[in-house]
Amino acid sequence: MKEYPIARPLISKTGERGVLGVLRSGCLSLGPKLEEFEYKFKKMVGTKYACAVSSGTAGLHLTMIAAGIGPGDEVITSPFSFIASSNAVLYVGAKPVFTDIDPVTYNMDPSKIEEKITPKTKAILVVHIFGQSAAMSPIIKIAKKHKLKIIEDACESILATYKGKNVGTFGESAVFAFYPNKQMTTGEGGMIVTNSKKIYKLCSSLRNQGRSSNIQWLDHKYLGYNYRMAEMNAALGISQLAILGSLIEKRRKVAKLYERYLQKFAGMVELPAVAKDNTHSWFVYVVRVKNPKIKRNNLIKLLAERGIATKPYLPSIHLFSFYKELTGHRKGDFPISEMISDTSLALPFYPGLGENDVKYICRNVVEVLNNYEKQIQK
Ligand SMILES: *Cc1c(COP(=O)(O)O)cnc(C)c1O
């Protein structure tokens, strides 16, 4: 039986050599690869500064501190995200205030943001979900009107554009992530980008125990953390940046193949849509099961029996037990986010998938769905 994982990184030979070179160099942290990675990254995204960190989550934490967000503050964000985005708000003692999403792009619905603004609101933490930008023009307009900061969680959407502009360039700072399932990987890692020298300097210091940049003084100006990225990871990152364009192009092709082989079954599964202002950078390929009688989780089991890994993507954050207890949220509070969470199915999706693989996966998905529907009718 063929086995298909959900995600799979593609590492180049140059990447292997780069990591090995670091191991042999003796300089395993705070060395030249870190600087080179940051330099190339900021050039690619188009910001003045980039600060590499140990994970996307660490990066989000530092951007919250750098934005001066703390106890008593509120940050408006999306319930349809990976838990790290709203956890970062909690790390600094502030309150994540959720707002429901758009049913087509699964990003924050700008028309629902203003009703969530209170005198305590300090920022909007925009999450660009699945490889597609949020509707930035209306969000920026709201932020300006109410004097709120914008911080972007761009962890899933590297090189996605909105009206021709890269995500990561809209807010006072933005964060990218390099876990192995992302469009590019460093094993573990993240990157903060900003045009503010002050934020850049603060984040570089905070990731390194709050040490001042003049290392001779060994002074600690702030309560810092160890959120450094090691040289091995940075070397891998450099090699991934070099092929990122082609990695995303390959993902785009796989998405097109899924579209080709699933379009005929649009009555059963709803396919992802790209908003007109956006170019998609394809973090995941998520379809939605249309028949409300089909239990998505059963579908996942049936596909697993055929060697095809699929996943619910994503659960709504406000319904995690920890969040329910903390915020008092319950089912029904964000109906669109919940509806997407209950019906979404991420299919195997990575650059190594060829046309025959996609055909095979689609044939099995459709077969399993057909069998399921027949069984329900009985
Ligand atoms: C991947 C991801 C992060 C960061 O994850 P790390 O595993 O800490 O690198 C943050 N937000 C979103 C939306 C993500 O998908």
Side-chain angles (χ1 to χ4, degrees), residues 139-203:
I139 293 175
I140 289 168
K141 210 165 151 193
I142 293 164
K144 279 206 176 121
K145 182 172 155 197
H146 298 272
K147 299 198 167 58
L148 304 177
K149 297 183 171 196
I150 291 178
I151 295 154
E152 298 173 73
D153 178 340
C155 292
E156 298 191 356
S157 298
I158 194 165
L159 288 189
T161 65
Y162 174 81
K163 296 187 176 171
K165 231 176 133 201
N166 280 336
V167 300
T169 60
F170 293 101
E172 77 159 34
S173 61
V175 180
F176 294 90
F178 312 125
Y179 187 74
N181 67 341
K182 301 270 149 85
Q183 290 93 328
M184 65 168 276
T185 185
T186 60
E188 294 280 1
M191 189 75 81
I192 301 163
V193 297
T194 179
N195 286 321
S196 155
K197 189 171 187 176
K198 203 169 140 214
I199 289 174
Y200 164 70
K201 287 204 137 178
L202 182 56
C203 289

Side-chain angles (χ1 to χ4, degrees), residues 54-60 80-86 127-130 153-157 175-179 181-182 187-190 283 313-314:
S54 52
S55 72
T57 307
L60 287 166
F80 192 77
S81 173
F82 180 56
I83 193 166
S85 50
S86 61
V127 183
H128 305 295
I129 207 76
F130 290 178
D153 178 340
C155 292
E156 298 191 356
S157 298
V175 180
F176 294 90
F178 312 125
Y179 187 74
N181 67 341
K182 301 270 149 85
E188 294 280 1
F283 167 52
Y313 235 90
L314 297 147

Side-chain angles (χ1 to χ4, degrees), residues 72-301:
D73 296 336
E74 294 178 356
V75 176
I76 296 175
T77 191
S78 173
F80 192 77
S81 173
F82 180 56
I83 193 166
S85 50
S86 61
N87 277 356
V89 178
L90 293 177
Y91 291 163
V92 295
K95 181 181 170 192
V97 173
F98 297 117
T99 180
D100 212 352
I101 58 167
D102 175 272
V104 176
T105 66
Y106 312 155
N107 277 310
M108 284 167 101
D109 179 344
S111 73
K112 291 180 182 156
I113 293 176
E114 262 185 312
E115 64 201 56
K116 302 286 177 179
I117 297 174
T118 75
K120 293 177 178 172
T121 310
K122 288 282 148 52
I124 304 174
L125 175 58
V126 179
V127 183
H128 305 295
I129 207 76
F130 290 178
Q132 186 165 202
S133 175
M136 290 314 295
S137 294
I139 293 175
I140 289 168
K141 210 165 151 193
I142 293 164
K144 279 206 176 121
K145 182 172 155 197
H146 298 272
K147 299 198 167 58
L148 304 177
K149 297 183 171 196
I150 291 178
I151 295 154
E152 298 173 73
D153 178 340
C155 292
E156 298 191 356
S157 298
I158 194 165
L159 288 189
T161 65
Y162 174 81
K163 296 187 176 171
K165 231 176 133 201
N166 280 336
V167 300
T169 60
F170 293 101
E172 77 159 34
S173 61
V175 180
F176 294 90
F178 312 125
Y179 187 74
N181 67 341
K182 301 270 149 85
Q183 290 93 328
M184 65 168 276
T185 185
T186 60
E188 294 280 1
M191 189 75 81
I192 301 163
V193 297
T194 179
N195 286 321
S196 155
K197 189 171 187 176
K198 203 169 140 214
I199 289 174
Y200 164 70
K201 287 204 137 178
L202 182 56
C203 289
S204 328
S205 169
L206 289 172
R207 77 174 161 185
N208 192 21
Q209 310 287 11
R211 198 168 279 185
S212 62
S213 51
N214 184 346
I215 220 126
Q216 283 171 337
W217 288 96
L218 276 183
D219 188 21
H220 294 263
K221 289 170 77 178
Y222 319 95
L223 171 65
Y225 303 85
N226 177 359
Y227 284 167
R228 293 185 301 263
M229 173 183 278
E231 286 287 280
M232 290 80 81
N233 305 77
L236 187 54
I238 292 165
S239 76
Q240 291 273 287
L241 273 187
I243 59 169
L244 183 58
S246 86
L247 290 177
I248 292 174
E249 202 39 52
K250 288 189 171 98
R251 298 178 93 89
R252 200 162 276 148
K253 277 195 182 132
V254 178
K256 277 242 154 63
L257 288 168
Y258 269 124
E259 194 177 303
R260 182 183 308 161
Y261 290 106
L262 287 175
Q263 212 151 41
K264 282 187 295 232
F265 307 99
M268 293 167 129
V269 287
E270 187 176 291
L271 304 185
V274 186
K276 75 170 184 353
D277 292 323
N278 288 350
T279 56
H280 208 302
S281 74
W282 295 104
F283 167 52
V284 280
Y285 195 86
V286 173
V287 300
R288 287 205 312 108
V289 182
K290 279 189 167 172
N291 186 340
K293 288 190 187 129
I294 288 181
K295 293 213 166 62
R296 188 265 327 271
N297 292 355
N298 288 344
L299 203 60
I300 291 176
K301 275 192 209 120

Side-chain angles (χ1 to χ4, degrees), residues 58-73:
L60 287 166
H61 184 188
L62 297 190
T63 57
M64 288 293 127
I65 298 173
I69 291 161
D73 296 336

Side-chain angles (χ1 to χ4, degrees), residues 283-338:
F283 167 52
V284 280
Y285 195 86
V286 173
V287 300
R288 287 205 312 108
V289 182
K290 279 189 167 172
N291 186 340
K293 288 190 187 129
I294 288 181
K295 293 213 166 62
R296 188 265 327 271
N297 292 355
N298 288 344
L299 203 60
I300 291 176
K301 275 192 209 120
L302 293 168
L303 286 165
E305 284 166 16
R306 295 175 178 228
I308 298 167
T310 55
K311 237 179 159 180
Y313 235 90
L314 297 147
S316 292
I317 297 173
H318 67 284
L319 295 180
F320 285 129
S321 52
F322 161 65
Y323 271 86
K324 277 206 289 203
E325 215 167 287
L326 195 78
T327 62
H329 279 308
R330 63 184 88 160
K331 211 162 170 62
D333 284 355
F334 303 100
I336 299 183
S337 179
E338 292 166 22

